[in-house]
Amino acid sequence: MPLTPGAYIKRQREAAGLSIADVAARLATEPRTAEHTRAEWIELIEADETPLLFMTVVVLSTVFPIDMRQLVELVKVQLQDGSAPAEATQP
């Protein structure tokens, strides 16, 4: 199975030794959302069930390292094969 953008985000989070709860606790969102809501949002991103927007990547990269070039390549593949998630609201 090819690496998807969400799987890449999960791999990077785990490589940093962080749980979803750890990341949710460290994320700054505007407007402020509850930690459990941020955790659910991260789970959706990692499952490729919600779009991975640029600002989302920027915010996540404040918590763990993300290689933007690799992520862009993964998103391109996802868009080309039509498996990109539909637009959804994010906290």
Side-chain angles (χ1 to χ4, degrees), residues 46-82:
E46 290 184 357
D48 294 298
E49 293 180 13
T50 194
L52 186 56
L53 303 177
F54 177 74
M55 286 308 299
T56 302
V57 175
V58 170
V59 171
L60 289 173
S61 71
T62 65
V63 181
F64 56 87
I66 295 174
D67 179 340
M68 294 296 264
R69 282 183 230 156
Q70 183 174 4
L71 188 57
V72 166
E73 289 305 313
L74 293 171
V75 170
K76 281 183 188 177
V77 169
Q78 192 179 49
L79 290 172
Q80 288 170 350
D81 73 12

Side-chain angles (χ1 to χ4, degrees), residues 11-48:
R11 184 180 76 186
Q12 293 302 104
R13 174 184 57 76
E14 290 175 341
L18 299 169
S19 68
I20 287 177
D22 294 332
V23 175
R26 295 177 189 185
L27 284 179
T29 56
E30 196 58 45
R32 189 81 177 144
T33 57
E35 256 181 60
H36 72 278
T37 302
R38 292 192 305 270
E40 291 168 359
W41 172 62
I42 295 164
E43 289 172 354
L44 290 172
I45 289 169
E46 290 184 357
D48 294 298

